[in-house]
Amino acid sequence: QVHLVESGGRLVQAGGSLRLSCAASGRTFSSYGMGWFRQAPGKERDVVAAINWSGSTTYYADSVKGRFTISRDNAKNTVYLQMNSLKPEDTAVYYCAASRGYSGSTYRGYADWGQGTQVTVSS
């Protein structure tokens, strides 16, 4: 099991940028695949991006391709989500999640979740 804590969410204007961080506890972080998900009010939790243990494989939802970048620093037990050209429809609570192995966009593959961080994009 890995404990996850997200940070970096805040209010930002459309067109702006944010970088979310997810700090993980545990000595085996480098063996986990990681994902970022988001949930807007009244909607399901959807995958945003995912990354394998080494960073060599990534996945992005179509809605964020070319704007968001997922990365990880295994020495710091941290995964990041760089979000550029933000749009009001990006407003949501953003969650990071960990999976044993790479789960990509498969929600059920993620066993450990953070508490979420709010991102609000104003128009």
Side-chain angles (χ1 to χ4, degrees), residues 6-74:
E6 303 95 333
S7 63
R10 62 176 176 86
L11 173 65
V12 63
Q13 288 190 333
S17 297
L18 279 179
R19 188 176 80 158
L20 305 183
S21 299
C22 173
S25 65
R27 291 175 291 180
T28 59
F29 171 76
S30 61
S31 67
Y32 283 82
M34 300 296 296
W36 283 99
F37 292 75
R38 67 185 180 186
Q39 188 168 21
K43 296 189 177 180
E44 294 184 349
R45 190 173 299 187
D46 293 326
V47 65
V48 175
I51 191 167
N52 73 334
W53 71 274
S54 67
S56 62
T57 300
T58 56
Y59 166 87
Y60 294 96
D62 287 343
S63 58
V64 306
K65 279 180 182 177
R67 300 189 298 123
F68 290 11
T69 303
I70 189 170
S71 62
R72 65 189 296 161
D73 185 336
N74 288 338

Side-chain angles (χ1 to χ4, degrees), residues 11-16 38 40-41 43 67-68 84-94 118-123:
L11 173 65
V12 63
Q13 288 190 333
R38 67 185 180 186
K43 296 189 177 180
R67 300 189 298 123
F68 290 11
N84 299 327
S85 302
L86 283 161
K87 305 175 181 180
E89 51 263 43
D90 295 318
T91 295
V93 177
Y94 283 71
Q118 176 71 48
V119 172
T120 303
V121 184
S122 64
S123 57

